[in-house]
C-alpha cells in the first residue's frame, strides 16, 4: 500500500511516517500543506492520503478542503482525515459525495496502533472509518426519537460500530462475538429501523448515517 | 360561600381596601400637583425658567412615587426587595448624564403610575367609599330615619316606619360584606401595576421581578425591548385617545375637547418614537455630526413646535404667537449645534463616551484576566499533571522492560490511557477558549455542534447571511453557550430556543428556555459575558423570574 501524509507539525509527521513504515506500509511522500498534497497526489497516485485538517497558511480547515478537492479530482485515492477535533459538520462534508474510501478520525486514535492500522487498510480498500466521537454525536442527536430506544444495548453497540464503518467480521472481533451472531444483530437492527439491507459495507454506513442524521 | 368568608377573614382584604380608599385623596393630590407643574412647564417652555421647573417635577415625581412605593409595600405586599424609587440617583458623573438619569425610564414609569392613580385609582376610591357609605347608612337606618325629614331613602324606596327601616338592615349588611370582598380582587389588580411601574432605575432592576411578564410566545421575539416599549406606548396612547373621543361622542358632542388629550399624547409618542429610531439607526445620528444629544434635541424641538403650531391653529389662528416659541426653540437648537460644531474632546458627549469606554475596557481586561487564570489552573491541574504521571509510567515501564515484560506492558497501557485522557482534557479546554468549528464554519455549525452535545432539546435558528467579525461572532457564540450551560445546570430546562439574526447593523441573540428561572444576573458567568458584550458596545439583558422562563437577550453592533 502506498500512502502520502500531509501534516504540518514535523513531530507528528515523522511519527506517523515511522508508524506506517514499521508496519509495512510504504510512505511515498510526507508534505506540510494542502497545495503540495494535491500536487504530490497528482504526481504519485498513491492508494491513500492521510491529511490533517488544520494546515498552513490559515491553520483552519485547509486540510479538509484539500481532501475534498482530492476526492473530486482523484477519486481513486482514498482519503483519511485526522484532526485534534471531530465535528459532525466535517464528517457530513466528507461523506457528501457518497463514494467509499473515506475516513475521519481523531488523532488520538493513532495511539491504538492496531485499530488505527485496521482503519487505514479499510479506508484504502474503499471502506469507511468514522470516529466513534462523531458516531456518539449522531446518536446524541437522535436520542429524543423512538426507534433507537427499541434497540437492545447490544444492538446499539453494533449499530455504533456499523456507523464507524466496520465490517461484520470487524464488529465480531471488537465485541468478541461470532460472525453469525453479529449478522443476526445486524438483521434485527435493519428491520427495527426500517432500513434496507444494502450490498457493501460503505453503502451500509451511508444508510445508517442517513438514518441517524434524518430530522424527525 | 366559603371563598367569600375566607376573603372576609383575610387581613389582606382590609389592607387592599385601605389602599383603594387612600387612592381617593392621593390621586387628587398627585393630579393637582402634576397638572399644575406640567401646565406651568408648557407655559414657560420658551423661557429659561422651565429648567428649574423640570427639576422640581423630577424630584416631586420621585417623592410622590416613594410614598406610593411605601404604600404598595405595606398594603399590597409588593416585593420589598424591589429597589425603591425616590432613592437618590446614583449615576455616572457629568451634568448631562445626571440629567438623563433624572429623567430615565424610572421617572416615566413613576409618572405613568401617578396619572393612573388619578384616572383609575380616584374613581375606584370614590366608588368604594360611596358603596361603603351606602351600606353603613342602610345598616344603621333604624337609628337615624326619624331625624331625617322624608325618612330613609334607598333609590325609589322610602322607609318611613321602624319596620320598613329594619328591612334595610340585612340589605346594608350584605352590601357591606360584598363591598369589602370586592376590595380584594380590585386591590390585587393594582399589585402587578405597582410592582412594574414603581421600580428603581434600570441598572438596579436587573434582578428578578416576579410580576414582570416575559414573553413566552414567538411573536415577540426578534423585537428589541425598546421597540416593544414603543408599541406598548402607542397602544396605551391610542386607547386613551379613543376613550376620550368615545366619552365626547356619548356626552355633549359640542366643542371637540378631546383634542387637548390627543395632542399631548401624540407629541409624547412622537418624541418616544424619535428616541427609539435614533437608537436603532446610528446612521441617523451621523447626520447630526454624530451627536446623539443634538439629534434628540432636534427631534424634541420639532415636535414641541408642531405642538404649539397645532395649538395656534386650533385656537382660531389670529396673531401668530408660535413665532416666539419658534424663536426660543430655535435658539436652543442653534446654540447646541454651535457647541457641537466647536466640540473638543472635553465635550460632554465625548467625556461620557470616554467614561463608558474606560469602564467597559476595565471590564474586558478583568474578564480576560480571570479567563487566563482559569486556563492556567486547568492546564496545571489537568494536562500538566497527566503528562507527569505519563512520564512516570513510561519511566517505570522502561525499568521493568527486561525483568518483567508483562508488568511493563501494563504500565505502557496505563501510559496510553493517561495520554488519551490528557488529550481529551486539552480538547475541551481549547474548545472552551475558541471552538475551531466556529472560526472555520461560523455560528450555525458551531451552535449545532453545541446543541448536539446536550441532552436538552434545542431548536436553533440562525439567520446571518454575512458573517460578522470574529469577536462579535465569538461573543454571540459564548452568550448562547453560557445560556445553554445555565439552562442545563441551574434551570433544569428540557428545551431551549436559540435565535440569532442579523438585523441591519446589529446581531441579535436570544435564548429562551422552559426552566425554573431565578438566574442570578450578577453571577460570575453572566457578569463575564456582560463585560465581553459591553466591550463590543453591545448590551446583554437577562430576564429570569423565579419559576421561569429565562430569556437571555444580547444585541451586538456589527458594522
Amino acid at each position: 500500500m502506498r500512502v502520502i501524509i500531509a501534516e504540518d507539525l514535523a513531530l507528528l509527521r515523522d511519527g506517523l511516517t515511522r508508524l506506517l513504515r514499521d508496519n509495512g506500509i510504504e510512505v511515498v511522500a510526507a508534505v506540510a500543506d494542502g497545495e503540495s498534497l494535491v500536487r504530490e497526489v497528482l504526481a504519485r497516485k498513491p492508494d491513500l492520503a492521510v491529511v490533517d485538517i488544520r494546515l498552513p497558511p490559515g491553520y483552519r480547515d485547509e486540510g479538509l478542503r484539500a481532501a475534498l478537492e482530492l476526492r473530486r479530482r482523484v477519486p481513486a485515492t482514498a482519503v483519511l482525515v485526522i484532526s485534534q477535533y471531530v465535528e459532525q459538520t466535517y464528517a457530513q462534508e466528507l461523506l457528501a459525495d457518497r463514494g467509499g474510501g473515506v475516513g475521519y478520525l481523531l488523532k488520538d486514535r493513532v495511539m491504538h496502533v492496531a485499530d488505527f492500522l485496521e482503519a487505514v487498510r479499510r479506508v484504502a480498500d474503499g471502506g469507511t472509518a468514522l470516529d466513534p466521537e462523531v458516531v456518539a454525536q449522531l446518536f446524541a442527536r437522535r436520542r429524543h426519537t423512538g426507534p433507537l430506544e427499541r434497540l437492545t444495548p447490544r444492538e446499539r453497540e453494533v449499530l455504533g460500530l456499523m456507523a464507524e464503518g466496520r465490517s461484520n467480521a470487524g464488529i465480531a472481533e471488537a465485541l468478541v462475538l461470532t460472525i453469525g451472531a453479529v449478522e443476526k444483530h445486524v438483521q434485527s437492527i435493519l428491520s427495527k429501523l426500517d432500513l434496507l439491507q444494502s450490498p457493501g459495507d460503505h453503502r451500509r454506513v451511508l444508510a445508517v448515517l442517513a438514518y441517524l442524521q434524518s430530522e424527525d | 360561600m366559603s371563598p367569600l368568608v375566607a376573603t372576609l377573614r383575610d387581613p389582606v382584604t382590609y389592607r387592599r381596601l385601605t389602599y383603594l380608599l387612600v387612592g381617593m385623596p392621593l390621586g387628587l393630590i398627585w393630579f393637582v400637583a402634576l397638572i399644575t407643574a406640567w401646565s406651568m412647564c408648557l407655559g414657560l417652555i420658551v423661557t429659561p425658567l422651565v429648567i428649574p421647573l423640570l427639576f422640581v417635577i423630577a424630584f416631586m415625581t420621585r417623592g410622590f412615587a416613594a410614598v406610593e412605593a411605601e404604600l404598595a409595600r405595606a398594603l399590597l405586599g409588593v416585593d420589598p426587595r424591589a429597589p425603591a424609587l425616590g432613592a437618590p440617583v446614583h449615576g455616572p458623573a457629568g451634568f448631562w448624564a445626571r440629567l438623563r438619569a433624572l429623567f430615565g425610564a424610572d421617572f416615566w414609569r413613576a409618572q405613568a403610575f401617578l396619572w393612573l392613580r388619578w384616572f383609575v385609582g380616584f374613581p375606584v376610591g370614590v366608588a368604594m367609599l360611596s358603596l361603603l357609605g351606602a351600606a353603613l347608612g342602610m345598616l344603621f337606618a333604624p337609628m337615624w330615619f326619624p331625624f331625617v325629614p322624608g325618612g330613609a331613602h334607598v333609590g325609589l324606596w322610602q322607609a318611613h316606619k321602624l319596620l320598613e327601616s329594619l328591612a334595610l338592615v340585612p340589605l346594608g349588611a350584605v352590601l357591606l360584606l360584598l363591598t369589602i370582598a370586592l376590595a380584594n380582587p380590585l386591590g390585587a389588580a393594582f399589585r402587578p401595576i405597582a410592582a412594574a411601574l414603581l421600580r428603581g432605575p434600570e441598572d438596579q432592576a436587573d434582578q428578578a421581578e416576579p410580576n414582570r411578564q416575559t414573553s413566552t410566545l414567538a411573536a415577540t421575539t426578534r423585537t428589541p425591548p425598546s421597540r416593544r416599549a414603543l408599541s406598548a406606548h402607542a397602544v396605551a396612547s391610542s386607547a386613551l385617545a379613543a376613550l376620550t373621543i368615545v366619552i365626547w361622542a356619548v356626552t355633549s358632542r359640542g366643542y371637540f375637547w378631546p383634542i387637548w388629550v390627543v395632542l399631548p399624547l401624540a407629541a409624547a409618542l412622537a418624541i418616544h418614537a424619535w428616541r427609539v429610531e435614533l437608537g436603532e439607526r446610528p446612521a441617523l445620528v451621523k447626520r447630526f455630526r454624530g451627536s446623539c444629544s443634538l439629534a434628540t434635541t432636534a427631534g424634541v424641538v420639532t415636535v414641541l413646535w408642531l405642538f404649539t403650531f397645532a395649538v395656534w391653529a386650533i385656537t382660531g389662528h389670529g396673531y401668530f404667537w408660535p413665532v416666539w416659541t419658534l424663536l426660543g426653540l430655535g435658539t436652543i437648537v442653534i446654540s447646541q449645534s454651535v457647541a457641537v460644531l466647536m466640540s473638543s474632546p472635553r465635550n460632554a458627549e465625548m467625556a461620557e463616551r470616554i467614561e463608558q469606554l474606560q469602564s467597559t475596557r476595565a471590564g474586558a481586561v478583568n474578564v480576560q484576566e480571570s479567563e487566563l487564570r482559569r486556563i492556567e489552573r486547568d492546564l496545571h491541574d489537568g494536562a500538566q499533571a497527566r503528562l507527569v504521571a505519563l512520564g512516570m509510567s513510561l519511566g517505570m515501564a522502561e525499568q521493568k522492560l527486561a525483568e518483567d515484560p508483562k508488568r511493563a506492558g501494563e504500565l505502557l497501557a496505563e501510559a496510553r490511557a493517561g495520554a488519551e485522557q490528557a488529550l481529551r482534557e486539552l480538547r475541551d479546554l481549547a474548545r472552551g477558549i475558541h471552538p475551531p468549528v466556529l472560526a472555520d464554519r461560523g455560528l450555525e455549525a458551531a451552535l449545532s455542534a453545541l446543541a448536539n452535545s446536550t441532552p436538552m432539546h434545542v431548536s436553533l435558528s440562525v439567520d446571518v447571511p454575512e458573517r460578522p467579525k470574529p469577536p462579535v461572532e465569538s461573543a454571540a457564540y459564548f452568550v448562547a453557550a453560557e445560556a445553554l450551560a445555565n439552562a442545563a445546570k441551574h434551570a433544569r430546562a428540557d428545551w431551549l430556543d436559540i435565535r440569532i439574526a442579523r438585523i441591519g447593523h446589529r446581531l441579535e441573540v436570544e435564548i429562551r428556555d422552559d426552566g425554573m428561572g431565578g438566574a442570578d444576573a450578577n453571577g460570575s458567568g453572566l457578569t463575564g459575558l456582560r463585560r465581553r458584550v459591553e466591550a463590543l458596545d453591545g448590551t446583554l439583558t437577562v430576564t429570569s423570574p423565579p419559576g421561569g422562563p429565562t430569556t437571555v437577550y444580547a444585541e451586538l453592533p456589527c458594522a
Side-chain angles (χ1 to χ4, degrees):
Chain A
M1 194 203 304
R2 300 167 69 249
V3 175
I4 285 186
I5 296 171
E7 161 67 65
D8 60 310
L9 297 172
L11 199 64
L12 291 184
R13 191 169 58 228
D14 296 347
L16 264 178
T17 310
R18 201 174 63 188
L19 182 111
L20 292 177
R21 278 191 182 142
D22 282 358
N23 287 280
I25 294 171
E26 187 189 347
V27 178
V28 291
V31 297
D33 63 89
E35 272 177 43
S36 10
L37 170 69
V38 175
R39 203 175 50 237
E40 289 293 319
V41 168
L42 288 174
R44 295 172 194 262
K45 303 268 186 258
D47 301 307
L48 175 74
V50 178
V51 189
D52 182 11
I53 282 195
R54 206 182 263 207
L55 287 180
Y59 295 98
R60 287 168 89 159
D61 58 348
E62 281 82 354
L64 183 71
R65 286 168 205 269
L68 292 172
E69 190 184 340
L70 284 184
R71 286 190 61 75
R72 212 177 54 244
R73 291 174 64 178
V74 209
T77 300
V79 178
L80 174 60
V81 173
I82 53 171
S83 170
Q84 294 281 19
Y85 311 89
V86 286
E87 293 292 347
Q88 197 202 310
T89 319
Y90 296 164
Q92 277 169 17
E93 288 172 22
L94 277 169
L95 289 164
D97 60 14
R98 307 188 64 81
V102 62
Y104 181 32
L105 294 178
L106 269 180
K107 281 186 184 170
D108 309 21
R109 309 300 172 208
V110 179
M111 280 189 272
H112 292 266
V113 179
D115 279 357
F116 179 68
L117 289 174
E118 205 267 318
V120 165
R121 296 209 171 90
R122 196 161 77 222
V123 172
D125 288 342
T128 323
L130 211 51
D131 198 89
E133 196 109 321
V134 179
V135 176
Q137 286 180 17
L138 288 170
F139 266 80
R141 198 185 154 91
R142 289 286 299 208
R143 73 206 149 237
H144 296 292
T145 48
L148 277 191
E149 298 192 349
R150 289 208 294 273
L151 301 186
T152 64
R154 179 58 101 184
E155 283 170 348
R156 243 177 280 178
E157 268 180 305
V158 173
L159 180 66
L161 292 169
M162 279 162 74
E164 284 173 28
R166 298 199 192 220
S167 63
N168 285 358
I171 297 173
E173 196 188 343
L175 296 179
V176 200
L177 290 173
T178 64
I179 294 193
V182 171
E183 275 167 3
K184 252 169 64 190
H185 282 309
V186 170
Q187 280 307 329
S188 156
I189 293 167
L190 294 179
S191 74
K192 279 183 184 174
L193 300 186
D194 256 348
L195 294 175
L196 292 176
Q197 174 71 280
S198 36
D201 289 336
H202 182 67
R203 291 272 196 82
R204 184 167 84 176
V205 174
L206 290 180
V208 169
L209 291 181
Y211 172 76
L212 288 174
Q213 282 166 7
S214 63
E215 300 271 355
D216 61 322
Chain B
M1 202 59 198
S2 65
L4 184 66
V5 173
T7 311
L8 290 173
R9 295 178 65 168
D10 191 351
V12 168
T13 307
Y14 296 92
R15 276 192 229 125
R16 288 179 180 171
L17 180 65
T18 316
Y19 185 81
L20 294 176
L21 289 175
V22 164
M24 202 176 53
L26 285 185
L28 190 65
I29 296 171
W30 304 158
F31 173 73
V32 171
L34 287 176
I35 201 78
T36 314
W38 280 116
S39 328
M40 278 170 74
C41 231
L42 275 181
L44 297 175
I45 200 152
V46 290
T47 71
L49 278 178
V50 74
I51 291 169
L53 201 55
L54 279 174
F55 277 94
V56 169
I57 291 183
F59 286 110
M60 198 165 77
T61 305
R62 268 158 228 281
F64 293 172
V67 173
E68 284 286 3
E70 270 313 309
L71 274 179
R73 235 168 257 189
L75 297 175
L76 293 182
V78 168
D79 185 8
R81 282 173 310 156
L85 260 170
V89 180
H90 304 289
F95 176 73
W96 288 110
R98 285 239 176 82
L99 191 67
R100 201 164 303 162
L102 212 51
F103 290 97
D106 56 327
F107 169 81
W108 296 107
R109 279 197 298 264
Q111 278 282 325
F113 186 81
L114 296 175
W115 285 104
L116 197 76
R117 200 68 156 127
W118 161 250
F119 279 117
V120 181
F122 181 78
V124 169
V126 171
M128 290 307 280
L129 192 66
S130 316
L131 284 173
L132 282 180
L136 289 174
M138 288 199 272
L139 199 58
F140 297 108
M143 292 185 197
W144 56 262
F145 84 96
F147 307 107
V148 179
H153 258 264
V154 178
L156 294 173
W157 196 56
Q158 289 186 343
H160 295 291
K161 296 183 188 136
L162 183 64
L163 209 62
E164 284 173 352
S165 70
L166 277 177
L168 287 177
V169 174
L171 213 59
V174 169
L175 185 63
L176 183 67
L177 296 182
L178 283 179
T179 309
I180 291 171
L182 184 66
N184 202 342
L186 278 180
F190 271 95
R191 233 178 89 97
I193 300 172
L197 292 179
L198 294 174
R199 275 181 294 134
E202 226 56 291
D203 57 330
Q204 299 173 22
D206 263 345
Q207 57 198 72
E209 306 144 15
N211 290 307
R212 195 163 132 194
Q213 288 292 316
T214 32
S215 58
T216 44
L217 294 172
T220 47
T221 57
R222 299 250 181 113
T223 329
S226 57
R227 275 262 160 209
R228 276 177 235 168
L230 180 62
S231 22
H233 185 176
V235 168
S237 302
S238 331
L240 203 53
L243 183 71
T244 54
I245 291 171
V246 166
I247 292 175
W248 169 81
V250 298
T251 56
S252 62
R253 288 235 192 182
Y255 172 64
F256 189 66
W257 54 265
I259 190 71
W260 299 111
V261 179
V262 173
L263 264 188
L265 283 178
L269 188 64
I271 290 172
H272 188 177
W274 176 246
R275 285 297 318 227
V276 170
E277 191 71 1
L278 282 183
E280 281 180 14
R281 288 170 46 193
L284 216 56
V285 177
K286 285 202 185 107
R287 290 205 199 136
F288 295 89
R289 291 190 64 90
S291 162
C292 194
S293 67
L294 180 59
T296 310
T297 313
V300 170
V301 158
T302 312
V303 171
L304 285 180
W305 192 73
L306 285 176
F307 177 72
T308 51
F309 182 80
V311 170
W312 170 80
I314 294 166
T315 53
H317 304 70
Y319 165 59
F320 190 66
W321 54 266
V323 72
W324 297 109
T325 327
L326 184 64
L327 218 62
L329 293 173
T331 318
I332 297 178
V333 177
I334 289 168
S335 49
Q336 202 176 354
S337 312
V338 170
V340 169
L341 278 174
M342 293 170 53
S343 61
S344 63
R346 255 169 277 147
N347 171 305
E349 280 300 312
M350 289 286 264
E352 195 188 312
R353 178 80 183 127
I354 287 168
E355 207 170 278
Q356 186 200 355
L357 287 177
Q358 270 171 349
S359 91
T360 55
R361 189 181 60 172
V365 169
N366 273 341
V367 173
Q368 199 185 20
E369 177 70 27
S370 58
E371 264 304 87
L372 287 176
R373 228 171 318 152
R374 182 185 66 83
I375 293 165
E376 191 275 333
R377 209 169 41 235
D378 283 358
L379 282 174
H380 180 267
D381 300 350
Q384 266 180 350
R386 293 217 178 270
L387 287 175
V388 171
L390 173 74
M392 279 174 8
S393 299
L394 286 175
M396 278 155 68
E398 195 179 19
Q399 265 186 344
K400 300 266 175 192
L401 202 55
E403 67 219 50
D404 189 356
K406 188 163 170 285
R407 176 76 189 123
E410 282 169 20
L411 284 166
L412 285 173
E414 219 171 85
R416 189 178 63 190
E420 278 176 318
Q421 185 60 33
L423 274 172
R424 250 196 304 280
E425 282 173 9
L426 282 173
R427 196 156 39 234
D428 289 344
L429 183 64
R431 197 167 273 164
I433 300 170
H434 195 272
V437 67
L438 177 63
D440 296 351
R441 289 289 184 280
L443 277 170
E444 184 151 21
L447 287 175
S448 73
L450 195 65
N452 281 333
S453 66
T454 152
M456 280 181 295
H457 189 80
V458 181
S459 84
L460 177 67
S461 126
V462 180
D463 180 14
V464 185
E466 189 191 335
R467 281 184 69 173
K469 284 189 186 137
V472 173
E473 206 174 53
S474 57
Y477 172 84
F478 281 105
V479 167
E482 177 77 21
L484 190 141
N486 284 346
K489 217 172 11 177
H490 304 305
R492 285 186 248 141
D494 291 325
W495 67 256
L496 194 81
D497 186 17
I498 303 179
R499 288 161 185 275
I500 299 189
R502 188 172 177 158
I503 297 173
H505 292 300
R506 285 174 303 131
L507 191 68
E508 295 187 0
V509 185
E510 189 179 56
I511 304 102
R512 289 181 298 139
D513 67 29
D514 68 340
M516 50 200 260
D520 180 10
N522 297 319
S524 67
L526 287 173
T527 303
L529 266 191
R530 188 191 313 281
R531 288 182 173 157
R532 188 168 187 160
V533 168
E534 281 172 356
L536 297 166
D537 268 338
T539 55
L540 181 81
T541 332
V542 180
T543 330
S544 184
T550 301
T551 307
V552 177
Y553 176 82
E555 243 183 60
L556 293 152
C558 48

